Amino acid sequence: MTYPVHGEREASTALAERLRSEYAVVPRDGERVLV
């Protein structure tokens, strides 16, 4: 799973789309993820 968390939301979303993977998720503001 990939969580792009650095930068603006639009940039993170663009990166996730570019990865073209069902394993890329842009977390919501304040969301915590156990890794």
Side-chain angles (χ1 to χ4, degrees), residues 4-14 26:
V5 296
H6 187 74
E8 298 296 324
R9 183 161 197 76
E10 291 176 6
S12 294
T13 301
V26 177

Side-chain angles (χ1 to χ4, degrees), residues 12-31:
S12 294
T13 301
L15 175 59
E17 290 173 4
R18 190 145 186 198
L19 290 173
R20 295 180 187 192
S21 168
E22 63 186 69
Y23 300 108
V25 176
V26 177
R28 294 180 307 264
D29 288 339
E31 181 178 2

